[in-house]
């Protein structure tokens, strides 16, 4: 039997915070079953790259956010 595994980072645009930042969410799909949770990260909507699921730009904040997303991905995919 073939199994599937997918991780998606996305913005929860319908719940912006008072400071204008948008929470980053993670969706994990394994064999069609979905689990979602907050990554406890907030970003500006204009700096989010939907296709890559990452923050675009070279600022310190963008680099730090992308590093945290990469660390989350490593922890998720470890057996």
């Amino acid at each position: 039997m073939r199994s599937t595994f997918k991780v998606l980072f996305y913005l929860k645009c319908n719940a912006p915070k008072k400071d204008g930042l948008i929470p980053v969410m993670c969706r994990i799909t394994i064999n069609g079953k979905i689990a979602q949770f907050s990554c406890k990260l907030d970003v500006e909507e204009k700096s989010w790259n939907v296709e890559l699921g990452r923050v675009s730009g070279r600022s310190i904040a963008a680099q730090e956010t992308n590093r945290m997303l990469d660390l989350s991905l490593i922890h998720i995919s470890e057996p």
Side-chain angles (χ1 to χ4, degrees), residues 46-59:
K46 65 180 180 180
S47 65
W48 185 255
N49 185 326
V50 175
E51 295 167 354
L52 297 177
R54 296 280 189 265
V55 178
S56 57
R58 303 186 88 190
S59 68

Side-chain angles (χ1 to χ4, degrees), residues 14-30:
N14 61 346
K17 298 198 172 184
K18 291 180 183 178
D19 59 2
L21 298 178
I22 311 289
V24 179
M25 302 291 289
C26 180
R27 178 182 297 141
I28 302 171
T29 307
I30 300 173

